[in-house]
């Protein structure tokens, strides 16, 4: 019995003292400020939230400090007598129901003994290439070194702001130790800024870092800001926005955005698109040969080139590469599905024409075959057959009396008379005739009475 009572008492006593301690800390906040000994009266030490609810409690230092209505504490006289004396100021905050206490610890330091960074002039911008291995020194920055008039060592350097994803660390300029916080106990030493990981410019291209130098108790401190630019490397290839692009020409029965109703030479039917995370310009290329479409390298626009003579469905492959040295090509090309359907309406017209023609032929009691395209003629000649300009080399045969002939495209070697006579235009030269040693040309045949082509 006695033993257990004693235990209970000691527990109760422990609980009492603990409760006191806790309530004291909950009711207060603690801040630390450092001011130089030569601060002019009116120097702002710290500002509490504005409002009329704050009050600076009387203390032995009332002749030095006052609180303004906006909640800021400022000096009202020369503070040099306070150098190296610990000063605690208490601020009461009236919350209506309750009061809060805020403690402000002040250090007045001789300005000559306050830490400051050397060379915090222009040399605050450094650069590092993306993809550099961790531990790469940021170029263009001086050795960071803070000092005071006193030989204040050790000094601890830390990155206290802007170090997103812990991208950087500090490196002791003499020992080479790399740490988040580097403590230097040699007045000649400082720290260098190094990468703590492989950086990706496409994720973050610029860092603004705040570096702090501090004495061991964290009172005498200095900060400086550094800007680090991450330089670009061509580490991204163009990527197509779609794996497959579908384009339809001439078939409006299919639904969708990419249907072009009529075929028109060199009109755009749509485009493929790739993006490059490095922001590089992109060039497009058709990887499958085709006569029906061309791609505009700069824009990815697909233009119609040759009209297919019948319905076609094509699967084409396009590639993209960035315009940079060395260049990178899309890891996965895109597929272009192209469908062309000749217009239904004109097919019907043609059928009607043929039907009329057939009827007319029937009336005449004659039957003849009318072809849209007649078979290719192949005739062999010797070079000497083309010796004389104007000479008739052969005669195209008419299927009806009314037909007239006309060469479709200008040809350097031959002309065609309306009656079908093929003549030498310029003396034939075997050497100039091209690899196949042929003269190829299309002839348009017109039925003079109808004025239509067959
Ligand atoms: C007093 O405290 C209560 C409970 O915390 C709160 O609801 C009330 O608004 C407070 N009154 C004032 C004047 O702050
Ligand atoms: C480094 O220093 C900063 C600022 O003084 C501090 O907040 C942090 O906890 C320290 N980090 C390490 C790993 O010591
Ligand atoms: C039309 O093209 C766009 C992009 O080129 C694509 O997003 C869309 O799916 C296509 N529509 C059809 C019907 O293929």
């Amino acid at each position: 019995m006695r033993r257990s009572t004693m235990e209970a008492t000691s527990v109760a006593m422990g609980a009492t003292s603990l409760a006191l301690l806790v309530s004291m800390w909950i009711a207060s906040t603690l801040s630390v400020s450092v001011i130089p000994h030569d601060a002019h009266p009116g120097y702002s030490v710290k500002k509490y939230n504005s409002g009329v609810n704050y009050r600076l409690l009387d203390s032995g230092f009332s002749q030095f400090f006052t609180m303004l209505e906006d909640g800021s504490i400022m000096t009202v006289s020369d503070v040099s007598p306070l150098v190296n004396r610990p000063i605690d100021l208490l601020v009461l905050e009236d919350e209506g129901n309750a009061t809060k206490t805020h403690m402000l610890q002040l250090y007045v330091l001789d300005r000559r003994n306050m830490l400051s960074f050397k060379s915090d002039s222009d040399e605050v911008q450094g650069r590092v290439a993306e993809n550099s291995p961790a531990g790469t020194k940021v170029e263009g920055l001086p050795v960071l070194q803070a000092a005071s008039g006193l030989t204040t060592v050790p000094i601890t350097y830390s990155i206290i702001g802007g170090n997103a994803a812990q991208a950087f660390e500090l490196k002791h300029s003499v020992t080479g130790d790399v740490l988040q916080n580097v403590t230097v106990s040699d007045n000649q030493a400082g720290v260098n800024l190094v990468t703590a990981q492989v950086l990706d410019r496409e994720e973050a291209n610029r860092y603004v870092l705040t570096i702090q130098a501090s004495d061991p108790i964290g009172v005498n401190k200095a900060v400086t800001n550094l800007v680090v630019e991450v330089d670009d490397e061509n580490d991204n290839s163009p990527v197509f926005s779609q794996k497959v692009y579908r384009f339809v020409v001439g078939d409006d029965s299919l639904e969708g955005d990419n249907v072009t109703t009529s075929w028109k030479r060199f009109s755009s039917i749509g485009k493929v698109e790739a993006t490059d995370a490095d922001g590089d310009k992109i060039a497009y290329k058709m990887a499958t040969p085709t006569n029906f479409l061309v791609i505009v390298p700069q824009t990815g626009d697909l233009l119609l080139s040759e009209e297919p003579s019948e319905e076609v469905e094509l699967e084409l492959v396009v590639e993209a590469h960035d315009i940079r040295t060395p260049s990178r090509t899309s890891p996965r090309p895109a597929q272009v599905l192209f469908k062309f359907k000749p217009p239904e309406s004109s097919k019907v017209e043609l059928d009607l024409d043929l039907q009329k023609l057939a009827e007319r032929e029937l009336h005449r009691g004659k039957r003849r075959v009318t072809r849209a395209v007649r078979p290719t003629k192949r005739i062999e000649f010797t070079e000497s057959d083309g010796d004389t300009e104007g000479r008739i080399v052969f005669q195209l045969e008419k299927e009806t009396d009314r037909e007239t002939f006309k060469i479709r495209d200008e040809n350097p070697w031959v002309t065609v008379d309306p009656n079908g006579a093929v003549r030498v235009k310029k003396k034939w030269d075997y050497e100039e005739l091209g690899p196949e040693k042929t003269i190829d040309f299309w002839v348009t045949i017109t039925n003079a009475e109808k004025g239509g082509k067959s």
Side-chain angles (χ1 to χ4, degrees):
M1 274 297 264
R2 279 183 68 178
R3 250 181 81 210
S4 69
T5 313
M6 280 200 39
E7 272 172 21
T9 314
S10 79
V11 168
M13 280 177 66
T16 309
S17 61
L18 188 67
L20 232 166
L21 187 68
V22 168
S23 75
M24 215 191 110
W25 281 102
I26 285 177
S28 315
T29 63
L30 174 71
S31 354
V32 178
S33 289
V34 178
I35 53 177
H37 74 287
D38 56 358
H40 290 295
Y43 181 96
S44 178
V45 178
K46 180 175 172 68
K47 186 172 189 296
Y48 288 90
N49 289 339
S50 66
V52 287
N53 301 339
Y54 290 86
R55 191 159 58 90
L56 179 61
L57 286 189
D58 283 342
S59 64
F61 304 103
S62 304
Q63 66 189 100
F64 298 101
F65 305 99
T66 193
M67 183 175 245
L68 304 184
E69 271 189 14
D70 71 352
S72 59
I73 292 180
M74 66 170 213
T75 62
V76 287
S77 57
D78 175 16
V79 291
S80 55
L82 302 179
V83 166
N84 294 343
R85 279 173 59 185
I87 304 155
D88 291 345
L89 299 181
L90 275 179
V91 173
L92 276 192
E93 182 187 359
D94 183 0
E95 287 191 312
N97 288 344
T99 343
K100 257 192 183 171
T101 332
H102 303 279
M103 160 106 66
L104 175 60
Q105 262 175 15
L106 273 182
Y107 293 86
V108 180
L109 297 181
D110 188 314
R111 187 186 285 278
R112 287 154 299 185
N113 296 336
M114 288 178 80
L115 276 176
S116 68
F117 274 92
K118 296 181 183 175
S119 71
D120 45 5
S121 51
D122 309 336
E123 300 165 286
V124 291
Q125 179 142 344
R127 41 197 342 118
V128 65
E130 65 173 328
N131 303 319
S132 301
T136 301
K137 182 176 174 295
V138 175
E139 292 300 324
L141 294 175
V143 172
L144 302 169
Q145 206 179 6
S148 70
L150 292 177
T151 33
T152 333
V153 278
I155 297 173
T156 301
Y157 296 89
S158 5
I159 308 175
I160 59 165
N163 196 12
Q166 303 297 312
F168 298 95
E169 285 183 308
L170 297 172
K171 182 175 184 176
H172 193 296
S173 68
V174 175
T175 67
D177 289 343
V178 176
L179 291 161
Q180 279 183 355
N181 298 340
V182 170
T183 301
V184 167
S185 26
D186 167 357
N187 267 316
Q188 302 308 309
V191 290
N192 284 306
L193 186 65
V194 297
T195 59
Q197 51 183 265
V198 175
L199 303 182
D200 182 1
R201 188 203 65 109
E202 286 67 50
E203 223 160 77
N205 60 4
R206 192 168 188 267
Y207 293 82
V208 180
L209 302 172
T210 305
I211 314 290
Q212 174 186 276
S214 167
D215 71 0
I217 56 165
V219 167
N220 197 356
K221 291 190 277 196
V223 293
T224 190
N225 289 322
L226 303 174
V227 175
V228 180
E229 301 280 352
V230 181
D231 288 335
D232 190 28
E233 261 195 357
N234 193 8
D235 56 349
N236 288 282
S237 308
V239 175
F240 281 101
S241 61
Q242 288 172 228
K243 281 187 211 161
V244 180
Y245 297 84
R246 258 174 254 276
F247 300 100
V248 175
V249 175
D251 188 352
D252 42 18
S253 68
L254 294 174
E255 298 210 339
D257 312 322
N258 305 314
V259 175
T260 311
T261 40
S262 63
W263 190 95
K264 186 158 168 271
R265 189 150 203 229
F266 296 137
S267 67
S268 170
I269 55 168
K271 66 195 289 187
V272 299
E273 194 172 28
T275 51
D276 184 287
D278 295 318
D280 299 334
K281 281 202 170 129
I282 295 173
Y284 301 90
K285 190 172 89 179
M286 190 75 82
T288 325
T290 172
N291 292 331
F292 303 129
L293 291 178
V294 290
I295 193 161
V296 180
Q298 296 86 345
T299 62
D301 270 294
L302 290 160
L303 308 184
L304 294 168
S305 51
E306 191 179 308
E307 183 166 18
S309 54
E310 57 192 354
E311 184 165 331
V312 288
E313 267 184 66
L314 298 176
E315 278 185 37
L316 305 167
V317 173
V318 293
E319 278 179 349
H321 65 269
D322 54 18
I323 302 178
R324 195 149 158 193
T325 321
S327 168
R328 295 176 74 104
T329 300
S330 47
R332 182 206 286 273
Q335 200 183 30
V336 168
L337 302 182
F338 172 65
K339 181 169 182 194
F340 171 80
K341 204 172 168 194
E344 293 283 354
S345 54
S346 57
K347 204 174 159 196
V348 170
E349 258 171 42
L350 187 69
D351 286 348
L352 281 177
D353 281 354
L354 284 178
Q355 213 177 330
K356 269 189 211 153
L357 200 64
E359 279 169 11
R360 202 177 297 168
E361 301 291 344
L362 262 178
H363 275 285
R364 290 192 191 156
K366 291 180 207 162
R367 270 179 170 269
R368 267 192 224 107
V369 185
T370 310
R371 292 187 204 90
V373 179
R374 296 192 187 157
T376 305
K377 275 195 181 306
R378 289 198 171 277
I379 307 163
E380 291 206 10
F381 295 97
T382 63
E383 192 179 6
S384 62
D385 289 324
D387 267 354
T388 318
E389 287 173 15
R391 176 179 162 199
I392 295 177
V393 281
F394 71 98
Q395 181 74 42
L396 294 165
E397 308 104 41
K398 298 182 178 186
E399 286 192 358
T400 75
D401 296 343
R402 296 175 197 84
E403 281 177 355
T404 57
F405 299 89
K406 186 167 181 293
I407 195 158
R408 198 188 68 177
D409 308 300
E410 280 291 296
N411 182 297
W413 308 113
V414 293
T415 57
V416 177
D417 290 352
N419 67 9
V422 179
R423 294 176 189 272
V424 177
K425 183 173 179 186
K426 182 181 141 192
K427 185 171 183 280
W428 297 353
D429 182 344
Y430 192 79
E431 312 305 323
E432 285 183 35
L433 277 181
E436 289 174 12
K437 307 300 173 203
T438 59
I439 300 172
D440 297 325
F441 54 96
W442 282 86
V443 175
T444 312
I445 308 168
T446 310
N447 189 314
E449 189 191 51
K450 273 190 72 193
K453 286 175 191 173
S454 67

